[in-house]
């Protein structure tokens, strides 16, 4: 896939899921770097920055994307020659992809410990990290059942039920609006995250917040599975996570919309679970309460807040996260 094909794939959601988007972006940058024939280090840096910007601009909410891109672009900071830069970038990209996959495995092991034999869990959307926990618990022999939602408008629930079915996990498939009707039969809600703010609020697929509210009312625990690069550093400085609003045609076909001139479709792709409705966050560094989100940003993202601030300012013209 070329850089432009990957950017298009992320924008159209052929490539989707916060972790997969991050790895796809890093792999695209690595392939792009390999295909370049720059004559000077500055030329290489400038072209890689252009490529990085193109990818980061594709989707605004999943902070995994800019975090991953910044993480690999950092390889170009402390090099003196072009060949050093090429080598360092390639190694950093390979490291990122391997550690992203490794993080999912660690989260699966940590999350599975919190799912008990006999539990029924509910999940929403298609999260690699959340499903890894569920499937690992099942693999360990725990008798678990899952309620999986449909996930309007893009129906990512279909991917989820395929994965659960393939793993042999007994699953009930429900429409999003049925979540409240079943949440009393559920022991645990487990979802992924596109971004987690410094104060522990979780941004995830639209429809996650009402499920968390219903779970809170029903006294059902809500846990989140998220790699540390889903934590949004600039929220520590007061920035908001921008919520992507996607095309109306995902919700209402254009030919129907054309007959309804007084109707406007709103299609936000994500909503926010307040930290008070989140019981635990499973990261590859361990299970933490949402109030510890700031420590993840401070200790595990590799850059100081000032460095993130500068990167955000350098990438002017885009939402800062
Ligand atoms: P993993 C997805 O976003 C979903 O909101 C999912 O919960 C989240 O990313 C995390 O997914 P989208 O790309 O990284 O479907 O755990 O809009 O796979």
């Amino acid at each position: 896939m070329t850089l432009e094909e990957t950017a298009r794939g992320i924008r159209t959601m052929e490539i989707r899921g916060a972790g997969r988007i991050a790895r796809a972006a890093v792999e695209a940058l690595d392939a792009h770097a390999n295909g370049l024939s720059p004559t000077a280090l500055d030329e290489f840096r400038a072209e890689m920055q252009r490529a990085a910007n193109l990818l980061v601009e594709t989707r605004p909410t999943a902070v995994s994307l800019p975090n991953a891109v910044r993480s690999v672009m950092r390889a170009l900071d402390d090099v003196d020659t072009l060949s050093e830069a090429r080598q360092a970038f390639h190694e950093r990209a390979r490291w990122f992809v391997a550690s992203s996959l490794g993080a999912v495995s660690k989260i699966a092991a940590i999350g599975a410990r919190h799912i008990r034999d006999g539990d029924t869990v509910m999940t929403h959307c298609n999260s690699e990290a959340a499903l890894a926990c569920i499937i690992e618990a099942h693999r360990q022999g725990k008798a678990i059942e899952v309620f999986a939602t449909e996930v309007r408008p893009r129906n990512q629930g279909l991917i989820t039920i395929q994965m659960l079915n393939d793993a042999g996990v007994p699953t009930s498939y429900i429409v999003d609006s049925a979540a409240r009707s079943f949440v009393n039969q559920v022991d645990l809600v487990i979802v992924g995250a596109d971004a987690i703010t410094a104060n522990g609020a979780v941004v995830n697929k639209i429809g996650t917040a009402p499920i968390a509210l219903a779970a809170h009312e029903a006294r059902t625990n809500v846990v989140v599975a998220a790699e540390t690069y889903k934590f949004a550093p600039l929220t520590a400085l007061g920035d908001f996570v921008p919520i992507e609003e996607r095309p109306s045609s995902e919700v209402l076909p254009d030919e129907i919309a054309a007959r309804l001139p007084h109707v406007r479709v709103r299609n936000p792709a994500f909503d926010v679970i307040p930290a008070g409705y989140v019981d635990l966050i499973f990261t590859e560094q361990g299970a933490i309460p949402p109030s510890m989100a700031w420590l993840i940003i401070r200790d595990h993202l590799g850059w100081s807040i000032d460095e993130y601030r500068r990167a955000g300012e350098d990438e002017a013209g885009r939402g800062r996260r």
Side-chain angles (χ1 to χ4, degrees), residues 31-243:
H32 186 66
N34 278 338
L36 293 176
S37 318
T39 50
L41 177 55
D42 282 352
E43 188 193 334
F44 183 57
R45 279 199 182 114
E47 174 50 28
M48 290 306 291
Q49 191 59 57
R50 186 199 69 80
N53 292 350
L54 175 77
L55 290 166
V56 171
E57 280 161 10
T58 53
R59 290 193 76 191
T61 301
V63 74
S64 53
L65 178 57
N67 278 352
V69 167
R70 286 173 192 155
S71 167
V72 291
M73 289 298 288
R74 215 177 298 164
L76 303 183
D77 287 350
D78 298 321
V79 287
D80 298 319
T81 67
L82 179 58
S83 66
E84 259 183 69
R86 299 186 75 115
Q87 173 80 9
F89 191 87
H90 180 57
E91 280 171 13
R92 182 90 189 168
R94 284 179 44 175
W95 169 85
F96 181 87
V97 171
S99 61
S100 165
L101 293 169
V104 174
S105 304
K106 286 181 193 157
I107 289 169
I110 292 165
R113 283 207 291 273
H114 290 264
I115 300 174
R116 297 162 306 181
D117 193 18
D119 270 356
T120 299
V121 303
M122 181 178 282
T123 192
H124 182 63
C125 201
N126 177 255
S127 160
E128 180 181 43
L131 282 175
C133 300
I134 294 170
I135 291 171
E136 174 59 18
H138 172 78
R139 195 196 61 76
Q140 291 174 1
K142 294 177 183 171
I144 57 169
E145 289 193 25
V146 178
F147 279 92
T149 49
E150 191 177 26
V151 196
R152 279 276 293 154
R154 296 293 297 246
N155 299 318
Q156 290 99 325
L158 288 173
I159 313 170
T160 294
I161 58 173
Q162 184 71 58
M163 290 170 70
L164 290 168
N165 183 74
D166 292 349
V169 182
T171 300
S172 300
Y173 184 50
I174 60 173
V175 297
D176 299 332
S177 45
R180 178 64 188 91
S181 300
F182 292 109
V183 83
N184 290 91
Q185 299 176 34
V186 163
D187 301 289
L188 192 66
V189 172
I190 178 163
V191 292
D194 293 83
I196 299 177
T197 68
N199 69 354
V202 173
V203 182
N204 193 48
K205 181 58 53 186
I206 191 78
T208 308
I211 293 175
L213 288 171
H216 189 73
E217 185 213 21
R219 307 282 187 270
T220 300
N221 285 339
V222 175
V223 296
V224 175
E227 303 87 319
T228 50
Y229 62 82
K230 311 260 180 81
F231 288 68
L234 289 171
T235 60
L237 300 173
D239 280 17
F240 292 107
V241 175
I243 301 292

